[in-house]
Amino acid sequence: EKKVVLITGCSSGIGLSLAVRLASDPAKTFKVYATMRNLAKKERLLEFVKELHRDTLEILQMDVTDQQSILDAKEKVVEKRVDILVCNAGLGLMGPLEVQSLDSMRQILEVNLLGTIQTIQAFLAGMKAQGQGHILVTGSTGGLHGLPFNELYCASKFAIEGACESLAILLQHFNINMSLIECGPVNTDFLVNLQKAELEDLSVQQVDAKTFSLYEKYLQHCNSVFQNAAQDTEDIVKIFLTAIQSPSPAFRYFTNSVVEPPLTKLKAAQPDGIQYIKAMSKIVFSGEEK
Ligand code: NAD
């Protein structure tokens, strides 16, 4: 019997790659429900899978901020169960905190935090009843340590850590595993889709000169990190597969084992936080005077 997988945010990036990989598994191990907010964007996914995987892939509409659309998608799962739930949909928000509107702050929390939680909620009772399951969430290193000019994004991803860790404690009593796949920069549409305050924006021009120049530095840093260190979605998909195939999956997987554990260790080693804050400032603003 196939493992039933449901993935959110499959119109691009990590979700799309994961759906394609699982649906084209040579052993046909998986039946994949690739969900996306806007079905008009399904062509890209279909291009990758061609006509080959009719029996292993179905595309469904699901907006993670809309409870009814989650329940409608759930109804359309013909097997009436989901073995592996992948909460992947997410958005970025970048810029000086002063310029962020309440609406854009609400939206990021709606999608990244409540969207993820609401999706898990919808499938939780089913997984508990069937006595098995695996919930995977696309986490971010921005959920493990703060990043300047990403306050709301980090807040949303830190919150995910808390929600998932809390659930994991309970769910082990139901034979349900919970795994966070912690990604650093990945080559996807993330940078295109994120809401970014531009240096040319009037609101950004109006912030104080020091914040403006630090934001300029941050944007350069961000570009160079994406150019030099971004992983491909295939690298991320490999880690998802490791987690999915493990008989006893870990709670956290790091996709970039070179960069991340040292920063996380640095933070953990010094709970007062001073060393991490200094180190990150140095990395991002390289030597800028306080
Ligand atoms: P992406 O923008 O290509 O993919 C995100 C997907 O989520 C998009 O297809 C988008 O349409 C979808 N989405 C947005 N709002 C939605 C909603 N309300 N309902 C359903 N779907 C919605 O970027 P990605 O990098 O593939 O992002 C996937 C996940 O990876 C996100 O949670 C993101 O935070 C996380 N992540 C990405 C990076 C990176 O550098 N790319 C780093 C760390 C974590």
Side-chain angles (χ1 to χ4, degrees), residues 74 81-82 121-132 176:
K74 185 182 161 197
R81 67 163 208 286
V82 168
Q121 248 184 341
F123 293 93
L124 199 54
M127 279 192 177
K128 282 180 173 174
Q130 78 210 18
Q132 58 90 20
I176 300 170

Side-chain angles (χ1 to χ4, degrees), residues 11-14 63-64 88 138 153 157 183-184 186 188-190 193:
S11 61
S12 60
I14 297 166
D63 178 343
V64 298
N88 165 76
T138 313
Y153 180 71
K157 293 291 185 184
C183 304
V186 189
T188 65
D189 285 357
F190 187 76
N193 289 336

Side-chain angles (χ1 to χ4, degrees), residues 24-26 40 56 64 69 98 147-148 182 197 219-220 227 237 256:
S24 42
D25 188 74
T56 57
V64 298
S69 107
E98 299 91 310
L147 300 167
E182 314 284 16
L219 289 177
Q220 284 163 11
Q227 261 164 38
V237 167
N256 189 334

Side-chain angles (χ1 to χ4, degrees), residues 11-274:
S11 61
S12 60
I14 297 166
L16 184 149
S17 283
L18 183 63
V20 171
R21 169 65 185 83
L22 295 180
S24 42
D25 188 74
K28 297 197 181 234
T29 316
F30 306 102
K31 167 73 179 285
V32 180
Y33 288 89
T35 74
M36 56 185 72
R37 181 184 37 183
N38 183 359
L39 280 182
K41 293 190 179 163
K42 72 178 177 191
E43 292 310 319
R44 200 154 145 197
L45 174 57
L46 285 174
E47 246 170 59
F48 279 95
V49 292
K50 305 256 165 31
E51 299 293 304
L52 288 171
H53 309 293
R54 277 269 155 87
D55 52 338
T56 57
L57 180 78
E58 211 161 304
I59 300 176
L60 298 176
Q61 195 274 338
M62 190 199 282
D63 178 343
V64 298
T65 64
D66 176 352
Q67 194 175 43
Q68 195 54 50
S69 107
I70 300 174
L71 296 177
D72 289 348
K74 185 182 161 197
E75 273 300 299
K76 293 191 177 120
V77 174
V78 292
E79 293 80 2
K80 295 294 162 211
R81 67 163 208 286
V82 168
D83 302 306
I84 300 169
L85 174 67
V86 182
C87 298
N88 165 76
L91 271 182
L93 179 69
M94 201 183 272
L97 189 59
E98 299 91 310
V99 311
Q100 307 299 358
S101 69
L102 191 53
D103 275 350
S104 57
M105 296 194 289
R106 278 213 174 100
Q107 197 207 356
I108 202 92
L109 294 172
E110 284 282 332
V111 176
N112 293 4
L113 175 58
L114 294 177
T116 301
I117 291 179
Q118 186 160 240
T119 306
I120 293 173
Q121 248 184 341
F123 293 93
L124 199 54
M127 279 192 177
K128 282 180 173 174
Q130 78 210 18
Q132 58 90 20
H134 194 173
I135 301 170
L136 298 106
V137 177
T138 313
S140 170
T141 53
L144 302 172
H145 45 71
L147 300 167
F149 299 111
N150 281 274
E151 292 80 7
L152 268 294
Y153 180 71
C154 288
S156 74
K157 293 291 185 184
F158 267 65
I160 289 290
E161 297 281 324
C164 291
E165 194 170 275
S166 302
L167 257 179
I169 299 167
L170 177 74
L171 293 186
Q172 59 176 349
H173 295 280
F174 294 88
N175 193 30
I176 300 170
N177 294 300
M178 167 74 82
S179 299
L180 280 157
I181 311 299
E182 314 284 16
C183 304
V186 189
N187 288 314
T188 65
D189 285 357
F190 187 76
L191 284 186
V192 181
N193 289 336
L194 73 70
Q195 293 188 48
K196 183 169 99 186
E198 303 290 349
L199 293 170
E200 299 75 26
D201 292 353
L202 187 60
S203 59
V204 179
Q205 299 263 324
Q206 285 169 343
V207 298
D208 66 279
K210 191 160 189 175
T211 303
F212 186 89
S213 98
L214 289 169
Y215 186 45
E216 215 171 6
K217 273 214 152 132
Y218 170 75
L219 289 177
Q220 284 163 11
H221 164 79
C222 190
N223 280 339
S224 83
V225 163
F226 267 88
Q227 261 164 38
N228 302 324
Q231 293 181 287
D232 289 326
T233 55
E234 286 72 26
D235 302 325
I236 312 303
V237 167
K238 268 187 208 146
I239 308 293
F240 267 99
L241 272 176
T242 302
I244 287 171
Q245 288 165 347
S246 166
S248 50
F251 177 63
R252 273 193 196 94
Y253 290 86
F254 294 91
T255 66
N256 189 334
S257 53
V258 186
V259 182
E260 278 314 319
L263 278 172
T264 308
K265 269 192 200 128
L266 178 68
K267 183 171 159 170
Q270 291 238 318
D272 74 13
I274 296 170

